[in-house]
Amino acid sequence: HALRDTKVFIEEIIRSGAEVGAFVAKPNSLNEKVISEIESLGIAVVREPSETNPPYSYFENSGALERILESESIKARLQGRKLVLVDVGGYFCKPLIASNASCVEAVAGIVEVTTFGHNRYVNSLEQLPVPVISVARSTLKQAESVYVGGSVVRAAEDTLQEAGLSLGGKTCVVVGYGMIGAEIARALQSRNLRTIVTDLSPSQCLLARLRNFETGRLIDVLEEAQLVFASTGTQSVSFHELTGASDGVILFSGGSRAQEFDVAGMERAAQAVVSVNETIKEFQMPWGSKIWLVNNGKAVNFLKDGAPEEIMDLVFAEIAASAEYLITENLPIGEIHELPRGLQDRIADTWLENQEATYSSSMRILDQYDH
């Protein structure tokens, strides 16, 4: 994600003595000022052409990532270095499988950050020629999800207010009770909103029920939903299911790709599409109902810059530690690895110590001010 915290992470990586060969900017979370700042560091930025439709298809189908992989692996071999791929969505899965042996030889492995990418690598383990460390489900990543879930709900609240509406009194459906979905549900529950959870996994529905949420099948709960929050990393709500949604339902995505809702199906079927404001589109459907889509189906939390930077420090520290671990350890291929718990605990302990030191320093300043 081309956001400010990523730029700071890149600067720290360079300061450590590593080289950043290229930065691939995801189209749905792209800050032009940050792009310029990354380029000013002498780093090549690769981005999709603006006319690309659907988004991400350039990275999936154009061969751009294959070319990056080949050129950076050659550079790594010439410098006697190892290449680590930090992936946010499983995009290097196909290029690695298709790459030649000399290219693979320079790659120490992959650090995958998202659940979507984690699942991609899981489904291709038998073909992957390099080891993978996933931080998508780690304890440290869970800390980020707490703030992402809250950010989704805050963005929804602001978006509704801009349209003259409020969260109050609305029936909310949360699609997917994973790390982020659970935090979205909790944030809604804390606002005393009726919150219904639906998940394909009965075990996740059980967990939601034990936390005092209503649960049900998606096609049934959509009939009651006024607000729908989806965060599964896949297309979680099909066009067929949307045909049974209540009139005026408002759709919010918490997934990093614009795929939680079948937007293409909505566009094909709609009799008219009207812009309510800068962030909301109204789809007037042939059966007489209206559907409001927020941020074109892209993650609404990016309207709020996601998690605070001090929380992202945990995730970036784990990414950096995972990259080092790939280089120093001979990890086997054919399985998904995690950073050892001991190293995760060291990161958490350091972060907590810094928090306590910052708090103590702030208290001393306030004490001096009081006197």
Side-chain angles (χ1 to χ4, degrees):
H1 304 300
L3 302 174
R4 186 176 62 179
D5 50 20
T6 304
K7 190 263 295 187
V8 174
F9 172 61
I10 289 172
E11 289 173 335
E12 292 299 322
I13 287 292
I14 294 171
R15 193 173 291 119
S16 75
E19 179 181 340
V20 179
F23 178 81
V24 181
K26 298 187 74 171
N28 288 345
S29 50
L30 193 153
N31 182 306
E32 292 292 347
K33 182 174 182 293
V34 170
I35 290 292
S36 297
E37 290 172 345
I38 292 173
E39 288 176 330
S40 71
L41 297 172
I43 297 169
V45 174
V46 182
R47 55 195 297 181
E48 277 195 334
S50 58
E51 68 275 8
T52 302
N53 189 33
Y56 297 94
S57 58
Y58 175 77
F59 296 131
E60 302 281 12
N61 304 316
S62 72
L65 296 186
E66 285 85 346
R67 291 190 290 274
I68 292 173
L69 179 59
E70 183 177 2
S71 64
E72 293 304 320
S73 64
I74 291 172
K75 190 188 303 181
R77 286 200 306 273
L78 291 174
Q79 295 179 354
R81 294 192 177 201
K82 282 291 186 179
L83 177 64
V84 175
L85 305 172
V86 178
D87 204 346
V88 187
Y91 298 98
F92 279 101
C93 188
K94 289 195 296 185
L96 277 168
I97 291 172
S99 61
N100 58 50
S102 62
C103 181
V104 170
E105 184 181 350
V107 180
I110 306 151
V111 181
E112 173 55 50
V113 181
T114 67
T115 297
F116 182 80
H118 174 103
N119 292 336
R120 272 186 163 181
Y121 286 115
V122 166
N123 293 333
S124 303
L125 280 178
E126 293 183 358
Q127 299 170 279
L128 277 175
V130 299
V132 180
I133 291 183
S134 172
V135 307
R137 299 178 178 179
S138 74
T139 302
L140 299 178
K141 192 72 161 58
Q142 286 179 358
E144 179 200 17
S145 69
V146 173
Y147 284 88
V148 171
S151 181
V152 168
V153 175
R154 288 195 301 276
E157 202 163 24
D158 290 348
T159 300
L160 290 174
Q161 186 171 341
E162 290 167 3
L165 302 172
S166 72
L167 278 177
K170 301 291 193 298
T171 295
C172 305
V173 166
V174 176
V175 184
Y177 198 68
M179 287 199 315
I180 292 176
E183 295 302 331
I184 292 173
R186 189 175 67 86
L188 293 169
Q189 189 182 57
S190 71
R191 288 164 169 78
N192 298 314
L193 295 166
R194 184 188 177 202
T195 304
I196 309 171
V197 170
T198 180
D199 195 292
L200 293 176
S201 167
S203 297
Q204 293 303 105
C205 287
L206 170 64
L207 186 59
R209 183 71 65 86
L210 292 175
R211 291 174 177 164
N212 298 318
F213 292 106
E214 297 179 54
T215 59
R217 294 192 312 154
L218 176 60
I219 200 161
D220 295 327
V221 300
L222 282 176
E223 296 177 359
E224 299 184 75
Q226 293 170 285
L227 309 177
V228 176
F229 297 84
S231 182
T232 65
T234 61
Q235 186 184 101
S236 54
V237 184
S238 68
F239 175 71
H240 169 70
E241 287 161 332
L242 284 170
T243 61
S246 62
D247 186 18
V249 67
I250 306 174
L251 310 180
F252 299 92
S253 171
S256 63
R257 291 182 61 160
Q259 62 175 15
E260 295 286 342
F261 306 104
D262 186 0
V263 178
M266 291 167 58
E267 290 173 338
R268 286 192 299 268
Q271 293 180 323
V273 180
V274 179
S275 292
V276 176
N277 57 30
E278 289 185 359
T279 55
I280 300 175
K281 287 183 179 178
E282 179 182 275
F283 290 75
Q284 300 172 2
M285 309 311 291
W287 54 87
S289 292
K290 296 176 182 177
I291 299 173
W292 280 18
L293 179 69
V294 178
N295 202 27
N296 292 314
K298 297 183 286 187
V300 296
N301 51 296
F302 288 126
L303 298 172
K304 286 290 180 183
D305 278 340
E309 290 177 13
E310 65 176 358
I311 297 299
M312 289 306 299
D313 284 346
L314 287 165
V315 179
F316 288 132
E318 185 175 9
I319 292 171
S322 297
E324 184 177 37
Y325 196 71
L326 280 168
I327 292 169
T328 57
E329 303 294 326
N330 187 25
L331 298 179
I333 62 174
E335 59 184 288
I336 301 291
H337 303 274
E338 287 192 1
L339 190 67
R341 178 53 62 96
L343 293 178
Q344 291 189 44
D345 286 344
R346 283 177 56 188
I347 293 170
D349 190 46
T350 302
W351 188 90
L352 290 169
E353 287 179 356
N354 288 336
Q355 286 287 297
E356 291 170 3
T358 301
Y359 177 77
S360 298
S361 176
S362 298
M363 290 302 99
R364 286 195 298 271
I365 292 170
L366 288 173
D367 187 57
Q368 291 170 6
Y369 176 79
D370 289 341
H371 287 83

